[in-house]
Amino acid sequence: MNKYSPEHARYLLGIKRRKILVNAWRWGILVIFILLWEIFARVGVIDAFIMSSPSRIIKTIGELLNGGTLFYHVWITLYETVLGFLIATILGSFIAILFWWWATLNSILEPYMVVLNALPKIALGPIIIIWVGAGQQAIITMAVLVCIIITIINMQNAFYGVEKEKLLLMRTMHATKLQILTKLVIPASIPAFISNLKINVGLSWVGSIIGEYLVSKAGLGYLIVYGGQIFKLDLVMCSTVILCALAGGMYAVVALLEKKLSSNRR
Amino acid sequence: MTEFLRLDDVSFNYHSKQGETKALENVTLTVKEHEFFGIVGPSGSGKTTILSLIAGILSPNGGKITLLGKPVKEETGITGYMLQKDHLFEWRTIEQNVMLGLELKRDVTKESKDRVLNLLEKYGLIDFKDKYPGELSGGMRQRVALIRTLALSPKLLLLDEPFSALDYVTRLSVCNDVYRIIKNEKITTILISHDISEAISLCDRIAMLTERPAKVKKIFDVEIEGDSPLKKRESSSFSTMFEKVWKELGVQI
């Protein structure tokens, strides 16, 4: 195994060095940023009241933990986001399948989809609140709306992007339309589905936080708005940091799913 | 040899927004049982259209196609179609890929599965049955595609330039393998190709088509000694035959 030529050993070393360098800088930037932030806040270069500081953020997280409300707010937002994410992904993919099945329906509704996609969903906020009520249901609806249109469009593109010749192959073997869907179109669209999941992870957070800005009594979006109103930047920053961690975590879960699903294709 | 397939005055038109294109006009030809029949002609001369008609994917605008004495539309399931590219499904193993046709026919039984595995075994692919298409070379993939077609036990095999996506060396050897497999399984075969030498090395008879709208210009009987395409290419009568077909094609250079 270790009988590489010196040249190859140098090549491998180069790759290893690069990897270490990238990782060192990744963490380094974060550490330096936090340190500078803390130092500048302590010596008074920046105003900790407006900019907050790492130590104050940790203190705020501690307070929320002791008050027992941290997990409550996190849970509320996480619940809205994940539910919105799941509904949008499942319903959106299902609608995309219907559009594939009835191509004429697809042609008829295409301009409506284009407009709905271009429309900033936040504009629908007041309508949503009046229609579904001012509560969590409105926030979940917002999260669904933000994700679902792009899901339909992405999945449709994937379905219609299946090679024409593969469809011909299925027809030469006398496959039914349902068989073409289940044995070719859906499996061929799995990579597109995964990349759509990744997009939806980001968008569902956008939806739930917008929703909480509009109407909420709890959640991280609520804490951010509330913190802003009472000028408690520590609370705003702390909620934002938690949001970063949660969104990153959800992305990691999807990445793990991708690894699992793509392990049997090369 | 008995008459196997017959095309009588077959015509076909394509429709598009720009207008109507006559692809075939009064094509008449017969194919005998166990024959290796080639169709060559200028590109865009409707060669693929003929195969699609025989496979029953398209219906002729005029004329009749009879396969084993019955009109083609009713005879679904006895033709196997092989395309230019292998189009193996990346998410299926080799075994799952060759089983595709049987799955679609809902005919996955112990016997049918054994038969397919037997084909893989016979043609040197059994060790790869649990691999994915991405792990196989282009030539192997094309052989898998052939076995996927043969899994349905077709009586008539339609080959649509099945080697054109391969590089030259692979092409010669896969061509040899495919010929051996087809002759072994004794299946009547129609090959379309724009490569004259390939058609000569494989076929018993070759029909040449005219420019669009295509008609049959001439039918050649190919009699070249050798029991494989590679052997036939070495034969002295090969180049004579090539010249004959080439002249008839009348390409303006």
Side-chain angles (χ1 to χ4, degrees), chain B residues 15-82:
Chain B
H15 299 273
S16 72
K17 264 191 207 164
Q18 283 71 38
E20 201 173 3
T21 316
K22 276 196 165 166
L24 305 177
E25 196 173 55
N26 305 330
V27 172
T28 299
L29 53 86
T30 55
V31 177
K32 291 174 235 161
E33 193 166 14
H34 302 320
E35 189 174 34
F36 207 127
F37 191 85
I39 299 174
V40 297
S43 48
S45 62
K47 298 188 292 277
T48 302
T49 311
I50 294 187
L51 284 201
S52 303
L53 288 167
I54 296 171
I57 299 168
L58 299 173
S59 306
N61 296 111
K64 235 173 38 196
I65 304 174
T66 31
L67 180 56
L68 287 166
K70 287 182 200 152
V72 134
K73 254 299 177 206
E74 297 167 20
E75 271 299 350
T76 52
I78 75 164
T79 50
Y81 201 120
M82 196 168 155

Side-chain angles (χ1 to χ4, degrees), chain A residues 163 165-166 168-176 178-180 183-185 187-189 263-266, chain B residues 55 57 76-77 79 81 83 85 87-92 100-101 103-106 132 134-135 148 152:
Chain A
E163 274 178 281
E165 297 210 312
K166 285 207 163 73
L168 178 66
L169 174 82
M170 292 295 275
R171 285 178 57 205
T172 64
M173 295 202 267
H174 308 291
T176 63
L178 185 65
Q179 285 176 327
I180 292 179
K183 301 214 184 273
L184 171 61
V185 172
S189 303
S263 64
N264 63 351
R265 35 165 100 213
R266 287 158 213 245
Chain B
I57 299 168
T76 52
T79 50
Y81 201 120
L83 301 158
K85 289 199 220 145
H87 291 296
L88 298 177
F89 292 176
E90 302 297 328
W91 55 90
R92 283 171 167 251
L100 178 67
E103 253 176 62
L104 297 176
K105 257 177 81 183
R106 299 178 200 287
Y132 287 88
E135 300 169 87
R148 179 183 58 195
L152 289 166

Side-chain angles (χ1 to χ4, degrees), chain B residues 12-204:
Chain B
F12 187 81
N13 307 328
Y14 277 108
H15 299 273
S16 72
K17 264 191 207 164
Q18 283 71 38
E20 201 173 3
T21 316
K22 276 196 165 166
L24 305 177
E25 196 173 55
N26 305 330
V27 172
T28 299
L29 53 86
T30 55
V31 177
K32 291 174 235 161
E33 193 166 14
H34 302 320
E35 189 174 34
F36 207 127
F37 191 85
I39 299 174
V40 297
S43 48
S45 62
K47 298 188 292 277
T48 302
T49 311
I50 294 187
L51 284 201
S52 303
L53 288 167
I54 296 171
I57 299 168
L58 299 173
S59 306
N61 296 111
K64 235 173 38 196
I65 304 174
T66 31
L67 180 56
L68 287 166
K70 287 182 200 152
V72 134
K73 254 299 177 206
E74 297 167 20
E75 271 299 350
T76 52
I78 75 164
T79 50
Y81 201 120
M82 196 168 155
L83 301 158
Q84 286 187 22
K85 289 199 220 145
D86 53 70
H87 291 296
L88 298 177
F89 292 176
E90 302 297 328
W91 55 90
R92 283 171 167 251
T93 61
I94 296 308
E95 182 182 345
Q96 288 166 340
N97 263 296
V98 293
M99 290 298 290
L100 178 67
L102 291 168
E103 253 176 62
L104 297 176
K105 257 177 81 183
R106 299 178 200 287
D107 186 25
V108 184
T109 58
K110 180 91 181 54
E111 292 82 49
S112 66
K113 204 170 172 179
D114 282 348
R115 195 164 44 75
V116 173
L117 288 177
N118 199 17
L119 281 172
L120 285 177
E121 168 100 61
K122 209 153 128 196
Y123 300 114
L125 290 160
I126 196 75
D127 295 340
F128 300 94
K129 75 179 173 70
D130 297 320
K131 302 249 185 228
Y132 287 88
E135 300 169 87
L136 268 62
S137 69
M140 272 177 167
R141 291 174 62 126
Q142 200 60 352
R143 278 190 305 178
V144 173
L146 177 64
I147 290 171
R148 179 183 58 195
T149 315
L150 295 180
L152 289 166
S153 321
K155 295 211 171 71
L156 174 65
L157 189 59
L158 306 171
L159 306 180
D160 186 352
E161 304 200 14
F163 315 114
S164 58
L166 302 171
D167 67 80
Y168 190 68
V169 176
T170 313
R171 188 171 176 161
L172 287 181
S173 89
V174 173
C175 186
N176 229 28
D177 288 344
V178 165
Y179 181 84
R180 186 171 56 93
I181 296 171
I182 289 171
K183 284 288 164 185
N184 243 339
E185 306 293 325
K186 292 196 180 56
I187 303 169
T188 313
T189 302
I190 301 176
L191 166 88
I192 47 180
S193 182
H194 57 252
D195 182 339
I196 300 172
S197 58
E198 186 174 279
I200 295 172
S201 73
L202 284 164
C203 301
D204 304 318

Side-chain angles (χ1 to χ4, degrees), chain A residues 117-195:
Chain A
N117 185 40
L119 180 79
K121 312 301 175 284
I122 191 166
L124 299 174
I127 302 174
I128 294 172
I129 292 168
I130 291 167
W131 283 1
V132 305
Q136 264 197 310
Q137 63 271 35
I139 300 166
I140 295 164
T141 309
M142 183 57 94
V144 170
L145 269 181
V146 170
C147 301
I148 196 164
I149 307 293
I150 198 70
T151 303
I152 297 172
I153 291 174
N154 279 344
M155 291 318 294
Q156 254 181 309
N157 285 341
F159 292 164
Y160 282 112
V162 171
E163 274 178 281
K164 293 269 178 305
E165 297 210 312
K166 285 207 163 73
L167 293 169
L168 178 66
L169 174 82
M170 292 295 275
R171 285 178 57 205
T172 64
M173 295 202 267
H174 308 291
T176 63
K177 195 165 188 180
L178 185 65
Q179 285 176 327
I180 292 179
L181 179 70
T182 56
K183 301 214 184 273
L184 171 61
V185 172
I186 289 177
S189 303
I190 294 291
F193 181 75
I194 299 282
S195 74

Side-chain angles (χ1 to χ4, degrees), chain B residues 2 9 44 52 56-57 137 170 186 197 199 218 222 224 236 239 247:
Chain B
T2 53
D9 276 331
S52 303
I57 299 168
S137 69
T170 313
K186 292 196 180 56
S197 58
K218 190 164 182 178
V222 184
I224 295 170
S236 59
S239 51
K247 271 205 190 115

Side-chain angles (χ1 to χ4, degrees), chain A residues 168-231:
Chain A
L168 178 66
L169 174 82
M170 292 295 275
R171 285 178 57 205
T172 64
M173 295 202 267
H174 308 291
T176 63
K177 195 165 188 180
L178 185 65
Q179 285 176 327
I180 292 179
L181 179 70
T182 56
K183 301 214 184 273
L184 171 61
V185 172
I186 289 177
S189 303
I190 294 291
F193 181 75
I194 299 282
S195 74
N196 188 68
L197 285 185
K198 285 181 172 171
I199 294 169
N200 279 357
V201 167
L203 285 182
S204 59
W205 285 102
V206 172
S208 63
I209 299 299
I210 290 178
E212 286 188 5
Y213 281 6
L214 287 173
V215 47
S216 66
K217 293 184 199 73
L220 293 169
Y222 165 81
L223 288 184
I224 291 173
V225 173
Y226 175 71
Q229 281 166 350
I230 60 169
F231 240 80

Side-chain angles (χ1 to χ4, degrees), chain A residues 7 9 22 27 63 78 118 131 180 197 201 215 232 234 258:
Chain A
E7 193 186 323
V22 168
W27 290 105
E63 280 166 17
L78 198 60
W131 283 1
I180 292 179
L197 285 185
V201 167
V215 47
K232 237 187 124 189
D234 294 341
E258 177 180 27

